Amino acid sequence: MTLTTPTDDVVTASASRRRSGRWIDEWHPEDEKFWAETGAKTAKRNLIWSIFAEHLGFSVWLIWSVSSAFLVASGFTFTPQQLFFLVAIPNLVGALIRIPYTLAVGKFGGRNWTMVSAALLLIPTLSFAYFVNQPETPYWAFCLIAATAGFGGGNFASSMANINFFYPARLKGAALGLNAAGGNLGVAIIQFFLPVIVGGAGIFGLVKASEGGINLERAAWVYAGLAVTAVLAAFFFMDNLSSAKSDTKAQLSVLKIKQTWVMSFLYIGTFGSFIGYSAAMPLLIKLNFWRQPVPEVVGIGVNFAFFAFAGALVGSMARPLGGHLADRFGGAKVTLISFGGMALGALGVLWTLSMLETLPPPPPPEALAAIKADPSSFVFPDAVQAAVESNQGIFPLFLGMFLLIFFFSGIGNGSTYKMIPAIFRTDAERASEPGTPEREAALLAGTKKASAAVGIIGAVGALGGFLIPITFGSPWVTDPLAATKTAFLVFLGFYVICAAVTYVVYLRKPHPAKAAVSYAGVGI
């Protein structure tokens, strides 16, 4: 016979107390007994389906990163600047809507908002499926469709804010790292499988490219079906936490806190780099290493479709490692190292770019029509052939340096998200005494502030995903290679500034008179 104390009964009853709509009214992740008996299992279930929904959101968000590179082959005559702008628009929208998406978790509940946000993904997928088969569709219409893909970018903020409430402080770094990595991996998945789904490329000889041409709408139909699956999964398997409820005014109060803006600046350097480079990488490879005027002609050089996913995959896999290292050594130290690594990677990319030759631009529309009418008679000009072959030999170095940036951006993504809850928890601990009701209330308030800050920091950081492709496609630089070199010089300088800010704000030992407000040495 098992004896239970009144305290046990209260904990068990509280843990199971729910309202309609899968609301959990009692949630105490810092209580080790509660966590072992009830919390861990529930948190894990919500984390799994949160990862699925966020993964899907990232895939839809970045669907234009690869599909834009296939638009010209599908009959659309867009310039490199127009294509870079197309891949940048979803990132801008995704950044702007992250704040309302974060606030929605406190307003409607994490489970409920996951259902809504997943359903919204039907707008970009179904509109994409229809208009990509209409050759007369104007450029501005594609800009609007690409903008709706930004809905997928908002999913990250609401998902991270939601999962932040489920886990105790000691496990937040790993849990948030896994949640984010699962979402970030959606970028690599869409960039790997979209070319195969649409018939634009094979998989290392295992699957051949379609002989019937490119069918971009196939990818949209696949992800529309997955969006419906995500809605149903959230409905049946996720929960809302009453403790996560918060009024909008209280959540927006984090805008007045200096640390919110410092971390937003740093997150532009880490996540902004990850999402911006992920969006731009397929086009960068195509413009500098690949030539194929029409699908009916065998291309020469490095096919972007085989490598578009590599950077996003490396960055995604590195993110949970960054969270783990931050849990062990402190987020600020790991973040500083990540910026140093990204700076070295940028220097390496600049070195490889200095060895590249500028490829001649693709033929004009009239010439493309003639080539398509008689592809067997087309021969690449000697100048094009020589430049492509020269650049092809440098590509392994270019890719290696680029992947180094992706790796450290992933490390930095994980470490910065460890820092956010740690900063607010530290402030809460400083304002209360251990073991008191005031401490518990302060920690809950700190968690709410951290979740609100996640949305704001994520929104500002995601702006990097807009700025990076725009910089690569600078309209004032007609040569794509020259634009790429200029862009990486700018990025290199920015990483150095980010490293300096990280050190000065979070690692430098303060003057004794300011020691009370320092974050150095507290595990941030």
Side-chain angles (χ1 to χ4, degrees):
M1 179 177 178
T2 303
L3 298 178
T4 60
T5 66
T7 302
D8 294 331
D9 293 336
V10 170
V11 171
T12 304
S14 298
S16 60
R17 189 182 303 159
R18 296 172 181 264
R19 291 189 277 114
S20 60
R22 296 187 69 96
W23 284 90
I24 299 178
D25 288 330
E26 296 290 340
W27 188 255
H28 306 286
E30 302 296 342
D31 184 323
E32 294 186 6
K33 179 177 177 61
F34 172 87
W35 181 253
E37 295 181 353
T38 305
K41 182 179 179 180
T42 301
K44 182 179 179 181
R45 171 166 45 78
N46 279 271
L47 175 62
I48 289 172
W49 292 108
S50 176
I51 289 174
F52 176 74
E54 187 188 336
H55 174 94
L56 175 61
F58 264 89
S59 294
V60 174
W61 192 19
L62 270 292
I63 196 171
W64 283 94
S65 67
V66 180
S67 59
S68 62
F70 284 113
L71 286 178
V72 174
S74 299
F76 297 94
T77 55
F78 299 146
T79 66
Q81 285 79 13
Q82 287 178 313
L83 293 176
F84 273 119
F85 189 66
L86 271 181
V87 303
I89 292 174
N91 294 338
L92 176 61
V93 175
L96 295 177
I97 67 173
R98 283 188 164 195
I99 294 177
Y101 266 55
T102 300
L103 299 177
V105 172
K107 184 73 173 178
F108 305 107
R111 164 189 176 264
N112 295 347
W113 186 249
T114 300
M115 294 168 58
V116 173
S117 60
L120 287 174
L121 298 180
L122 293 173
I123 298 175
T125 52
L126 295 180
S127 59
F128 180 95
Y130 175 77
F131 285 102
V132 81
N133 280 323
Q134 311 300 319
E136 70 280 2
T137 302
Y139 177 72
W140 64 263
F142 276 121
C143 288
L144 289 178
I145 298 168
T148 65
F151 293 158
N155 287 14
F156 173 84
S158 55
S159 178
M160 295 292 278
N162 182 41
I163 292 302
N164 184 50
F165 282 101
F166 277 94
Y167 280 83
R170 68 183 186 279
L171 300 176
K172 284 185 188 293
L176 292 175
L178 285 172
N179 190 54
N184 292 172
L185 195 59
V187 181
I189 294 297
I190 190 69
Q191 292 181 334
F192 180 78
F193 283 107
L194 185 142
V196 179
I197 294 172
V198 305
I203 304 180
F204 306 117
L206 300 178
V207 178
K208 294 184 178 180
S210 172
E211 297 181 358
I214 296 172
N215 299 279
L216 285 173
E217 75 281 358
R218 292 178 183 171
W221 287 117
V222 169
Y223 279 92
L226 290 174
V228 174
T229 303
V231 173
L232 295 175
F235 179 80
F236 288 109
F237 303 117
M238 293 186 71
D239 302 287
N240 300 305
L241 294 180
S242 298
S243 59
K245 296 285 285 184
S246 178
D247 64 271
T248 301
K249 184 178 180 180
Q251 288 181 288
L252 290 178
S253 66
V254 297
L255 290 170
K256 301 177 182 178
I257 300 175
K258 183 184 73 172
Q259 300 304 325
T260 301
W261 297 107
V262 175
M263 291 304 303
S264 295
F265 179 78
L266 299 181
Y267 203 53
I268 292 176
T270 56
F271 180 76
S273 295
F274 169 80
I275 202 67
Y277 291 140
S278 295
M281 189 173 181
L283 277 174
L284 285 175
I285 296 175
K286 181 181 181 181
L287 291 173
N288 294 296
F289 298 95
W290 174 251
R291 277 296 178 268
Q292 184 181 25
V294 294
E296 292 79 5
V297 171
V298 177
I300 58 174
V302 179
N303 191 339
F304 66 93
F306 292 126
F307 299 95
F309 72 96
L313 178 62
V314 170
S316 301
M317 299 303 289
R319 182 155 191 162
L321 175 61
H324 172 73
L325 292 174
D327 283 338
R328 184 172 180 181
F329 301 108
K333 293 179 181 178
V334 177
T335 299
L336 180 63
I337 293 173
S338 74
F339 282 125
M342 293 169 71
L344 287 175
L347 280 172
V349 170
L350 282 168
W351 170 57
T352 63
L353 292 176
S354 68
M355 296 184 284
L356 294 180
E357 294 186 28
T358 300
L359 299 185
E366 313 81 57
L368 288 175
I371 296 171
K372 196 165 187 175
D374 186 16
S376 61
S377 63
F378 174 77
V379 177
F380 285 99
D382 291 341
V384 175
Q385 188 86 34
V388 169
E389 290 179 356
S390 174
N391 288 357
Q392 189 173 2
I394 301 169
F395 179 74
L397 289 175
F398 171 84
L399 182 63
M401 294 298 103
F402 218 147
L403 293 183
L404 186 66
I405 299 178
F406 271 105
F407 173 77
F408 281 106
S409 73
I411 294 292
N413 285 338
S415 61
T416 50
Y417 258 75
K418 157 65 178 178
M419 292 172 68
I420 297 168
I423 288 170
F424 287 95
R425 180 178 178 85
T426 298
D427 288 343
E429 290 175 343
R430 286 171 174 167
S432 59
E433 293 296 327
T436 63
E438 289 77 13
R439 168 60 63 87
E440 185 175 355
L443 291 177
L444 178 58
T447 300
K448 289 185 177 182
K449 288 182 179 179
S451 291
V454 160
I456 295 168
I457 293 167
V460 177
L463 287 174
F466 172 74
L467 297 173
I468 285 178
I470 290 297
T471 307
F472 283 133
S474 303
W476 55 87
V477 183
T478 56
D479 177 9
L481 180 57
T484 304
K485 292 177 181 177
T486 301
F488 272 103
L489 281 172
V490 173
F491 304 149
L492 172 61
F494 183 68
Y495 297 146
V496 172
I497 294 173
C498 287
V501 171
T502 303
Y503 174 77
V504 170
V505 178
Y506 298 112
L507 291 174
R508 184 183 60 173
K509 293 183 179 180
H511 186 278
K514 298 181 179 180
V517 295
S518 171
Y519 290 95
V522 296
I524 290 175

